[in-house]
Amino acid sequence: MRRTIIGVFGAGERASEADVANGRLLGELIAREGWVVLTGGRDAGVMRATADGAKSVEGSLTIGVLPHRDTVPPPSIDIAIVTDLGSGRNNVNVLTADVCVACGASSAGTLSEIALAVKAGKPLVVVGAAGEETFLSRIGRVEFAGSPAEAIVLIRRLLEAG
Amino acid sequence: MRRTIIGVFGAGERASEADVANGRLLGELIAREGWVVLTGGRDAGVMRATADGAKSVEGSLTIGVLPHRDTVPPPSIDIAIVTDLGSGRNNVNVLTADVCVACGASSAGTLSEIALAVKAGKPLVVVGAAGEETFLSRIGRVEFAGSPAEAIVLIRRLLEAG
Amino acid sequence: MRRTIIGVFGAGERASEADVANGRLLGELIAREGWVVLTGGRDAGVMRATADGAKSVEGSLTIGVLPHRDTVPPPSIDIAIVTDLGSGRNNVNVLTADVCVACGASSAGTLSEIALAVKAGKPLVVVGAAGEETFLSRIGRVEFAGSPAEAIVLIRRLLEAG
Amino acid sequence: MRRTIIGVFGAGERASEADVANGRLLGELIAREGWVVLTGGRDAGVMRATADGAKSVEGSLTIGVLPHRDTVPPPSIDIAIVTDLGSGRNNVNVLTADVCVACGASSAGTLSEIALAVKAGKPLVVVGAAGEETFLSRIGRVEFAGSPAEAIVLIRRLLEAG
């Protein structure tokens, strides 16, 4: 039976400590629900933390959608999807996820995924927005969560509505 | 000799009248400089207006990067690049342009192109921002122009710095 | 720990009965080895048969890389990667697989995957070639197997050499 | 008015002298017809020769669809479309061309373009096939030309039938 996939997006090397901590907890909580965790696949920042968090849960499954052939994912990625699409892979991330979650909204890559998710009409939750709420609400439907636990409640609701 | 390409991005069916008017004038002014005009290729909103504006200038050249095989570009597109990449073509738009110009910043598709341009380190000008300046300045280097004529001055400067 | 992925490629609606039977058995045998099975994700021909064969094995994992947003994979696909890249997704299939296997070589889509695998330097096995051996051997390194069981022996060897 | 684009595909560094010579002459003859010449954009083999041939004709226009951001096209490319899709750009080449022409059929990259053209239902001419005719005829509709001049006759016919 087709597995539910939750995409968690966030910055790499320049991610804030708060976003990384949110990513790690999100990965863990999503895995506990039995959902598959999908990330942008790089071994840095929110991407690594989310996969690490998920793999702390027994029976979890993690997918990393790699931007390039030579991208080395963290050991916490079970399934590496190799695209060689560069940032073009961001649209694959968004379309593959049943619900998209962004940790922070101020990195360019993450913002592109937020925008592509809205464009594609995908359910979208932003965790840890820091003043971007007004701006993002103008472009389309975006839910905001103050914490990973709140995000899980929203994801569950969005999946049921789906 | 390799031609200089200016990408003009903006909303389709839901574009504001102001953004459409800016697109048309930008297309015309860019073509007068002898630069090639690139758009997202659809027959609507800023995309059509920009190509139309460019084709009002003799000797102009317009490229439309179409999202799907069955996308019909406006008659003002000379060269149709057919990608069948959906919104994945937005990254092609950004990478192909020597300078990226956004008409407005509140549609999801345009915002994804703004974010991808910042991510790719491409020179970027936003014309007609309506309150998004603070937010966009936080994600990276973005120039703001109050009018198409101002944008042309900025584009020229960015090309020289290039 | 990163899972080993075997990509099985073959025709859809127009697949021959022999290729479909090979796909089904390949799916089963690959799953028995504990490897993940990847297909082009459509609910037809070799793609469906391979996923069906794999899901007849307990604990198997199947990935379908879908060409379009509205592609409906067969129920035997666990993980649907949604690309909206059309035939551009064929290169994702090839790059993601640790070893590529083609069931037959005479459909255009499968031939494109064979050619892309050679281009990418990916280990490649063709099962059930029907006279194409000489031609395909000229474009690069291709292994030929007379049956799914023979293919498994070759895959194991290619993974060890990997 | 929308320009007619002829895509010419062929090997890079390992192209045969005959294929390179055919590419150069094809580029020139296509340009003389007033059609736009499209290549895979690299500065090698058939790709460079075709663009060079086209630029020997006054008023010609050449497009190169580059596989990566750092690909440097030959000086004979007027318009560089930068995809960062790797071999995924081969499908863009095929879809953008009104008629596809392959110079030789034995390189993996060119064969992938031949297969993708057949898959997409694009008119396709192979110039200088060396024994691949039987094999290629089995995958779908392919026209064969013994020389660039013969190819031009076929292209004209295919465009009229278009």
Side-chain angles (χ1 to χ4, degrees):
Chain A
M1 216 190 60
R2 182 126 162 240
R3 301 285 304 272
T4 296
I5 300 175
I6 309 298
V8 180
F9 310 128
E13 289 73 8
R14 295 192 221 166
S16 73
E17 280 184 39
D19 289 340
V20 169
N22 280 341
R24 181 177 303 267
L25 187 49
L26 267 167
E28 186 184 328
L29 296 177
I30 291 168
R32 281 197 198 291
E33 299 286 328
W35 300 323
V36 176
V37 169
L38 177 146
T39 76
R42 294 205 298 109
D43 188 13
V46 172
M47 289 175 267
R48 175 169 59 200
T50 302
D52 286 357
K55 289 315 292 181
S56 71
V57 178
E58 209 181 307
S60 63
L61 188 64
T62 53
I63 299 176
V65 181
L66 313 190
H68 290 109
R69 280 198 69 177
D70 54 1
T71 306
V72 179
S76 49
I77 287 295
D78 296 313
I79 303 283
I81 303 293
V82 186
T83 68
D84 208 19
L85 299 172
S87 294
R89 71 93 154 73
N90 294 8
N91 201 45
V92 175
N93 295 351
V94 160
L95 294 176
T96 298
D98 292 294
V99 176
C100 298
V101 184
C103 286
S106 61
S107 91
T110 308
L111 182 59
S112 78
E113 282 158 326
I114 290 173
L116 290 167
V118 171
K119 177 80 179 168
K122 281 276 172 181
L124 170 65
V125 178
V126 176
V127 185
E132 299 93 349
E133 291 86 344
T134 310
F135 173 76
L136 292 177
S137 295
R138 285 172 57 187
I139 65 161
R141 182 156 186 192
V142 186
E143 312 274 346
F144 296 94
S147 69
E150 257 186 66
I152 297 295
V153 176
L154 287 169
I155 295 169
R156 211 180 288 130
R157 197 173 301 159
L158 289 163
L159 286 172
E160 281 160 12
Chain B
M1 217 190 59
R2 184 128 161 240
R3 300 285 304 270
T4 295
I5 299 175
I6 309 299
V8 180
F9 311 129
E13 289 74 7
R14 295 194 222 163
S16 72
E17 280 185 41
D19 288 340
V20 168
N22 280 341
R24 181 178 301 268
L25 187 49
L26 267 167
E28 186 185 330
L29 297 177
I30 291 168
R32 282 197 197 291
E33 299 285 328
W35 301 322
V36 175
V37 169
L38 178 146
T39 77
R42 294 206 298 109
D43 189 13
V46 172
M47 289 176 267
R48 175 170 56 200
T50 302
D52 286 356
K55 288 315 291 180
S56 72
V57 178
E58 209 182 307
S60 63
L61 187 64
T62 53
I63 300 175
V65 181
L66 313 190
H68 291 109
R69 278 199 72 176
D70 55 3
T71 307
V72 179
S76 49
I77 287 294
D78 296 312
I79 303 283
I81 304 293
V82 186
T83 68
D84 208 19
L85 299 170
S87 294
R89 70 94 154 74
N90 294 8
N91 201 44
V92 176
N93 295 351
V94 159
L95 294 176
T96 299
D98 292 293
V99 176
C100 297
V101 183
C103 286
S106 60
S107 90
T110 308
L111 183 59
S112 78
E113 282 159 325
I114 289 173
L116 290 167
V118 171
K119 177 79 178 168
K122 279 279 172 179
L124 171 64
V125 178
V126 177
V127 184
E132 299 94 348
E133 291 86 343
T134 310
F135 173 77
L136 292 177
S137 295
R138 284 173 58 188
I139 65 162
R141 181 156 186 193
V142 185
E143 313 273 346
F144 296 95
S147 69
E150 257 187 66
I152 297 293
V153 175
L154 287 169
I155 295 167
R156 211 180 288 131
R157 198 175 299 159
L158 289 163
L159 286 172
E160 280 160 12
Chain C
M1 216 190 59
R2 186 130 159 234
R3 301 286 304 271
T4 295
I5 301 174
I6 309 299
V8 180
F9 310 128
E13 288 73 9
R14 296 193 222 164
S16 72
E17 280 185 41
D19 289 340
V20 168
N22 280 341
R24 181 178 302 267
L25 186 49
L26 268 167
E28 187 185 328
L29 296 177
I30 291 169
R32 281 198 198 291
E33 299 285 329
W35 301 323
V36 176
V37 169
L38 177 146
T39 76
R42 295 204 297 110
D43 188 13
V46 172
M47 289 176 267
R48 175 170 58 201
T50 302
D52 286 358
K55 289 316 291 181
S56 72
V57 178
E58 208 182 307
S60 64
L61 188 64
T62 53
I63 300 176
V65 181
L66 313 190
H68 290 111
R69 280 199 70 176
D70 55 2
T71 306
V72 179
S76 50
I77 286 295
D78 298 313
I79 304 283
I81 304 292
V82 186
T83 69
D84 208 20
L85 299 171
S87 294
R89 71 95 155 70
N90 294 8
N91 201 44
V92 175
N93 295 352
V94 160
L95 294 176
T96 297
D98 292 294
V99 176
C100 298
V101 184
C103 286
S106 61
S107 91
T110 308
L111 182 59
S112 78
E113 282 157 327
I114 289 173
L116 290 166
V118 171
K119 176 80 180 169
K122 280 278 172 181
L124 170 66
V125 179
V126 176
V127 184
E132 300 94 347
E133 291 87 343
T134 310
F135 173 77
L136 292 177
S137 295
R138 284 173 59 187
I139 66 161
R141 181 156 187 193
V142 185
E143 312 273 347
F144 297 94
S147 69
E150 257 186 65
I152 297 294
V153 175
L154 287 170
I155 295 169
R156 211 180 288 129
R157 198 174 300 160
L158 289 163
L159 285 171
E160 280 160 12
Chain D
M1 215 188 61
R2 186 131 159 234
R3 301 286 303 271
T4 295
I5 300 176
I6 309 299
V8 180
F9 310 129
E13 288 74 8
R14 297 193 221 164
S16 72
E17 279 185 42
D19 289 340
V20 168
N22 279 340
R24 182 178 302 268
L25 185 50
L26 268 167
E28 187 185 328
L29 296 178
I30 291 168
R32 282 198 198 290
E33 299 285 329
W35 301 323
V36 175
V37 169
L38 177 145
T39 78
R42 296 205 297 109
D43 188 13
V46 172
M47 290 175 267
R48 176 171 56 201
T50 302
D52 286 358
K55 289 315 291 181
S56 72
V57 178
E58 208 182 308
S60 64
L61 187 64
T62 54
I63 300 177
V65 181
L66 313 190
H68 290 109
R69 279 199 70 176
D70 54 3
T71 307
V72 178
S76 49
I77 287 295
D78 296 314
I79 303 283
I81 303 293
V82 186
T83 68
D84 208 19
L85 299 171
S87 294
R89 71 94 154 71
N90 294 9
N91 201 44
V92 176
N93 294 351
V94 160
L95 295 176
T96 298
D98 292 292
V99 176
C100 298
V101 183
C103 285
S106 61
S107 91
T110 307
L111 182 59
S112 78
E113 282 158 327
I114 289 173
L116 290 166
V118 171
K119 177 79 178 169
K122 280 278 173 180
L124 170 65
V125 179
V126 176
V127 184
E132 299 95 347
E133 290 85 344
T134 310
F135 173 78
L136 293 177
S137 294
R138 285 173 57 188
I139 66 162
R141 180 153 189 196
V142 186
E143 312 273 347
F144 296 94
S147 69
E150 258 186 64
I152 297 294
V153 175
L154 287 169
I155 295 168
R156 212 180 287 129
R157 199 174 300 159
L158 289 163
L159 286 172
E160 280 160 12

